[in-house]
Amino acid sequence: MNKSEIKVIAVLERVGGFASAQELYQLLQRSGESIGLTTVYRALQSLVSDKIVDQLRREDGEAIYRLCGDSHHHHLVCKQCGSTVEIEGSAIERWTKAMAEEHGFREVGHTAEIFGICPAC
Amino acid sequence: MNKSEIKVIAVLERVGGFASAQELYQLLQRSGESIGLTTVYRALQSLVSDKIVDQLRREDGEAIYRLCGDSHHHHLVCKQCGSTVEIEGSAIERWTKAMAEEHGFREVGHTAEIFGICPAC
DNA sequence: CCTGAAAATGAAAATCATTTTCATTTCTGA
DNA sequence: TCAGAAATGAAAATGATTTTCATTTTCAGG
């Protein structure tokens, strides 16, 4: 964890939700931090692979980031406005385990996401 | 609905699931269709706004498309050799429905994939 | 059949987020 | 203190997608 990563975490805390790399870069600039766009991207990559930051996609394909919640969760994403809700996924865990067993797979993991249109849209 | 849109629908039927614009373009080329990449993009846009085609995003941000209401299946993918097994996902369907209802989302869909190491590897 | 306006087409250029390159600067630990 | 490693960032490269624009096709009326 280096200086840039700490700066990025700080701004993500300030934001308190999702923001794109470009947005985070702008915010850092405005608050007088000296940090390059490349470094913001690199810090985000690193934080994502350390599971400190969650990454997903806006409707237009731009990546957005936010600090991870604590538990392993899945997302319910609005196709329209991009808002997300963390949802419970124990059903998925069980399904994963069952399917893996049935087909003799080991060291399994999974991805699952639900998308739709939220009540507000 | 013009000729290009019909060609794109035909290839999506053949694919029977998700594919990116670039992939669809390649498939059309290979099957001898004369159609430009630009036109594929335009046809897809139009089909999406007519709700004939569903659009979502791969993890890397590339847009992927499939015919609306296409019944889809899930895959168990080997991380090592890439082999895939089609698996049953009614548990996922139920989970999707339950979560959507709980949070008031409508027009929901989902993606789910299990990855691991297959018996052969 | 014509004819011309509207729609469709596609090659090439533009866009834009993201990644890579590479030369330079900052750390670190012996 | 010093050398090698890690970090940095400007600029170039990348790759999907969109826009531009000149050309071709379609098609309703004459």
Side-chain angles (χ1 to χ4, degrees):
Chain A
M1 176 95 70
N2 60 35
K3 260 186 219 170
S4 306
E5 291 173 21
I6 290 172
K7 286 180 189 171
V8 168
I9 289 176
V11 75
L12 276 170
E13 270 167 359
R14 198 139 44 81
V15 165
F18 283 108
S20 71
Q22 307 276 346
E23 287 162 357
L24 293 171
Y25 171 67
Q26 310 261 16
L27 287 170
L28 284 162
Q29 293 291 296
R30 270 189 230 122
S31 58
E33 291 291 351
S34 160
I35 186 173
L37 180 57
T38 310
T39 303
V40 171
Y41 274 106
R42 272 194 289 239
L44 285 168
Q45 271 176 191
S46 164
L47 292 168
V48 166
S49 76
D50 291 350
K51 301 206 195 309
I52 293 167
V53 160
D54 255 352
Q55 172 183 32
L56 51 116
R57 296 275 163 185
R58 281 210 191 114
E59 184 84 342
D60 68 356
E62 193 174 355
I64 50 179
Y65 306 85
R66 81 168 161 190
L67 290 175
C68 273
D70 21 25
S71 60
H72 171 77
H73 51 252
H74 295 277
H75 289 119
L76 183 49
V77 185
C78 179
K79 291 195 268 199
Q80 211 115 94
C81 68
S83 70
T84 68
V85 185
E86 277 186 20
I87 53 180
E88 196 275 328
S90 63
I92 304 297
E93 317 296 330
R94 284 196 303 278
W95 174 70
T96 300
K97 209 167 287 178
M99 289 298 130
E101 202 161 303
E102 187 179 329
H103 294 92
F105 275 56
R106 57 215 157 75
E107 294 180 38
V108 289
H110 64 265
T111 58
E113 200 164 77
I114 305 182
F115 48 90
I117 298 178
C118 76
C121 287
Chain B
M1 176 96 70
N2 62 35
K3 262 185 216 169
S4 307
E5 291 173 21
I6 289 171
K7 286 181 190 170
V8 169
I9 289 175
V11 75
L12 276 169
E13 269 167 359
R14 199 140 43 81
V15 166
F18 284 108
S20 71
Q22 307 274 349
E23 287 164 357
L24 294 171
Y25 171 68
Q26 309 261 15
L27 287 170
L28 284 163
Q29 294 290 298
R30 271 189 229 124
S31 59
E33 291 291 352
S34 160
I35 187 172
L37 180 57
T38 310
T39 304
V40 171
Y41 273 105
R42 271 193 290 239
L44 285 168
Q45 273 176 188
S46 164
L47 292 168
V48 167
S49 75
D50 290 351
K51 299 205 196 308
I52 293 166
V53 162
D54 255 352
Q55 173 183 30
L56 54 120
R57 296 273 165 187
R58 271 214 262 269
E59 195 131 334
D60 68 355
E62 193 173 356
I64 50 179
Y65 307 85
R66 78 168 169 197
L67 289 176
C68 277
D70 230 12
S71 87
H72 65 282
H73 38 259
H74 297 277
H75 289 118
L76 185 47
V77 186
C78 179
K79 289 192 269 197
Q80 211 114 96
C81 68
S83 70
T84 67
V85 185
E86 274 186 23
I87 53 180
E88 196 272 331
S90 63
I92 305 298
E93 317 295 330
R94 284 196 303 279
W95 174 69
T96 300
K97 210 167 288 177
M99 290 297 131
E101 202 162 302
E102 187 178 327
H103 293 92
F105 276 55
R106 54 212 159 77
E107 296 180 36
V108 290
H110 63 265
T111 57
E113 203 164 73
I114 304 181
F115 46 88
I117 298 178
C118 75
C121 286

